[in-house]
Amino acid sequence: MSGFAGTADAIRFALKRDRLILPIWVAVLIGWIAMEVISYKNLYGTTAQLDALYRSVAGNPAMVAISGPTGGIRTLGGAITWDSLPTISVVSGVFAMFSVVRHTRAEEEDGRTELLLAYGSGRLAPLAAALTVTLAALALASAGYVAVFAAEGLPVGPATLLSLSFFGFGAVIAGTTAVVCQVTSKARAARGLVGIVIGAAWLLRAIGDTGGGTLTWFSPLGWAEQTRPFWEDRWWPLLLPLAAFAVTLALSGWLLVRRDIGGGLIQPRPGPARARKSLLHPLGFAFRIQRGSIIGWAVMLFAYGFAVGVIGDNIEQLLKTSSAFTEAFASASGNLLDSYFASILTVIALLASGFTVSAVLRPHSEESRGRVGLLLAAPLGKVCWVANHLLIAFAATAVIIALVGLGLGIGFAVATGDSGQIGRLTGAAVAQTPAMWLTGSLVVLLYGLSSRLSPVAWGLLATFVLIWTLASFGDIPNWIVDLSPFSHTPAVPAVPLDLTPLLVMTALSAALTASGLALWRRRDLL
């Protein structure tokens, strides 16, 4: 029997499982590039504005490290590429990582792969299906990118090159994830290792771009950058991600047939003979389960806040390159820099809410894998078990967003020598906490109503992101804007702090969380 037997069935199964997640991811990716194109066309639609933007960032090491070489900014398409290529490439890579892990290592961990193989599927079918679905989604997003550029009157050829650059990076990460999934035996470990690879790719590109350029060629993100769409239009660097994907594809298949199902080439080391006393308490046990995720998000967002703070000294000059930017930020406050920090903190809070949703849904993951029944067989109440997970989730949310503000303040202090902003920016970041808590409590309510509603939580967060995007770049009715809790957070440090909406959102969060726990107590386990 062929190792690929049953691949078509595995693809259909994967598409059915992801019938909600895949459209959301593709829509987010296409919507992101659409936002970039429309906003840059409005902000830098003239040659004079593009020249002013080029003069403000050319030769600035911090800006080059964040977005790459600035030579292509003299055209609208080049400016869009400069701003969007690193970010959308990384987001594409993150999607590829989650998708491949979900349909390979996570399926083995849950025991479903063994059922497929017992039914007659070939050994390579699940991996082939995972890569096919992932690459198809990336290809669909790439076609959407080209359509957006064409609709806005930009050249299709360079837009196609840019879209293929995004696709190439996503394909490299998909292949890398496939290899890592053969090495590790846990889905969480696989995601962590691939996350390190993505971070290393970004770091190598940043160091290479600000240095001699040699290290850029050791990064798949650097390969995407070297295509230089709307500037030099190099097509040959696309051969590098193609070759890398082919190598990782062959290696992952070779490793797969040489290991046991459910195991990895590297087995986890045994734990200590005796558990720590903290693990005997539900709170300590919940923290232990979520510890890795908390540390990962905290480090990532602190580093991101620090990077944004480092370039803060140049932001005001950059904002002044566009009259539209100046008017938009000046409408909130006379201080352009404070308005920028307020806006970026909202963006980071929306991003960090991904942790909140994930942490709040951890009980759902434990329930779906059948581990909750074992715990509740002991003298442990249902509500007590979930409540301890939620306490960890909400407390970690507050700590993570505070670390974002701390990183922002430290980065700004390093760039300017003004350490007085550290406490002020940390406080501004903490003001985002109630909106994040309210988002989490809505997820608790969904989980309490039915375990089947838990995946809708990600759609809820995507809706809040969409509302913020539309409110920032277009006119939408106020009642729609008010649906997002992030719309009610005071735009500190650009405006004085108003505690009233923060206290109201905190009270609503507590009430919704209590309601969700009460509903959870009354329903049966899966």
Side-chain angles (χ1 to χ4, degrees):
M1 182 179 65
S2 170
F4 293 99
T7 298
D9 291 334
I11 290 173
R12 285 193 290 271
F13 179 65
L15 290 174
K16 183 176 181 179
R17 287 199 67 203
D18 286 355
R19 61 187 180 275
L20 177 63
I21 296 175
L22 279 180
I24 290 176
W25 268 105
V26 172
V28 167
L29 288 169
I30 297 175
W32 199 318
I33 198 67
M35 180 182 69
E36 291 273 357
V37 172
I38 294 171
S39 60
Y40 262 76
K41 193 173 182 180
N42 292 334
L43 297 171
Y44 301 105
T46 67
T47 302
Q49 290 173 327
L50 286 171
D51 287 342
L53 174 63
Y54 175 79
R55 289 193 301 270
S56 69
V57 300
N60 187 317
M63 301 303 296
V64 171
I66 294 295
S67 297
T70 58
I73 294 181
R74 294 185 181 276
T75 66
L76 179 60
I80 295 170
T81 299
W82 173 77
D83 186 59
S84 65
L85 193 145
T87 305
I88 295 182
S89 294
V90 168
V91 174
S92 299
V94 170
F95 160 72
M97 172 192 70
F98 277 108
S99 180
V100 174
V101 170
R102 173 178 169 82
H103 294 295
T104 55
R105 175 50 60 188
E107 291 289 86
E108 287 190 40
E109 200 172 335
D110 291 341
R112 282 189 283 264
T113 299
E114 196 167 358
L115 293 176
L116 287 175
L117 296 180
Y119 180 72
S121 292
R123 184 71 181 269
L124 297 171
L127 177 62
L131 291 173
T132 300
V133 169
T134 301
L135 295 182
L138 290 173
L140 184 61
S142 295
Y145 303 151
V146 177
V148 168
F149 277 94
E152 292 299 321
L154 293 168
V156 173
T160 302
L161 178 58
L162 176 60
S163 299
L164 290 175
S165 300
F166 293 143
F167 178 86
F169 182 78
V172 171
I173 298 303
T176 302
T177 305
V179 173
V180 171
C181 285
Q182 315 313 315
V183 176
T184 64
S185 59
K186 298 293 182 182
R188 184 174 301 180
R191 287 189 287 264
L193 288 174
V194 179
I196 292 173
V197 171
I198 295 174
W202 190 92
L203 184 62
L204 286 171
R205 179 211 58 81
I207 295 174
D209 288 346
T210 54
T214 302
L215 287 179
T216 301
W217 291 100
F218 289 88
S219 165
L221 190 56
W223 304 340
E225 179 185 272
Q226 290 300 321
T227 58
R228 299 187 176 181
F230 298 97
W231 180 11
E232 297 179 356
D233 291 335
R234 298 173 175 174
W235 291 83
W236 65 265
L238 293 176
L239 295 174
L240 296 174
L242 178 63
F245 176 73
V247 170
T248 54
L249 177 63
L251 180 59
S252 61
W254 185 81
L255 293 174
L256 173 58
V257 298
R258 285 163 174 79
R259 67 170 178 84
D260 293 331
I261 292 296
L265 295 177
I266 299 178
Q267 294 298 321
R269 61 183 181 181
R274 293 181 177 275
R276 296 179 180 178
K277 291 183 178 180
S278 61
L279 295 180
L280 301 178
H281 191 279
L283 186 64
F285 187 70
F287 175 74
R288 177 62 181 83
I289 289 176
Q290 306 218 40
R291 182 181 63 184
S293 178
I294 293 171
I295 294 173
W297 277 89
V299 171
M300 178 185 71
L301 291 178
F302 175 83
Y304 184 70
F306 179 83
V308 172
V310 167
I311 65 172
D313 192 33
N314 307 105
I315 288 298
E316 191 165 2
Q317 181 182 359
L318 177 62
L319 294 176
K320 290 180 179 178
T321 61
S322 168
S323 58
F325 256 146
T326 304
E327 292 173 6
F329 282 101
S331 64
S333 168
N335 189 322
L336 289 176
L337 188 57
D338 281 350
S339 297
Y340 169 77
F341 281 144
S343 179
I344 201 68
L345 282 173
T346 301
V347 173
I348 298 176
L350 285 164
L351 174 63
S353 294
F355 163 79
T356 307
V357 172
S358 176
V360 168
L361 285 178
R362 185 60 200 233
H364 167 68
S365 176
E366 296 294 300
E367 183 183 0
S368 63
R369 292 177 178 176
R371 293 196 282 255
V372 179
L374 296 174
L375 291 173
L376 298 184
L380 175 65
K382 289 175 64 177
V383 173
C384 178
W385 173 72
V386 174
N388 280 281
H389 274 281
L390 298 182
L391 181 60
I392 293 296
F394 289 139
T397 294
V399 172
I400 287 172
I401 196 64
L403 286 173
V404 169
L406 181 63
L408 188 64
I410 293 175
F412 188 72
V414 168
T416 65
D418 183 8
S419 59
Q421 295 289 336
I422 296 177
R424 184 165 174 262
L425 291 174
T426 301
V430 172
Q432 300 287 339
T433 306
M436 299 170 69
W437 282 345
L438 186 53
T439 302
S441 64
L442 289 169
V443 177
V444 176
L445 186 63
L446 290 172
Y447 175 61
L449 285 169
S450 172
S451 181
R452 294 180 179 274
L453 293 176
S454 298
V456 179
W458 294 105
L460 186 69
L461 180 57
T463 300
F464 294 158
V465 172
L466 180 62
I467 289 174
W468 179 86
T469 303
L470 294 176
S472 300
F473 296 98
D475 294 326
I476 60 174
N478 288 333
W479 69 268
I480 296 179
V481 176
D482 290 339
L483 292 176
S484 170
F486 296 92
S487 302
H488 301 281
T489 301
V492 288
V495 300
L497 177 63
D498 182 4
L499 289 175
T500 301
L502 303 184
L503 294 174
V504 170
M505 283 192 287
T506 301
L508 282 174
S509 177
L512 290 173
T513 300
S515 300
L517 288 173
L519 290 169
W520 150 253
R521 182 180 182 181
R522 294 176 183 275
R523 74 169 175 83
D524 293 331
L525 295 177
L526 286 176

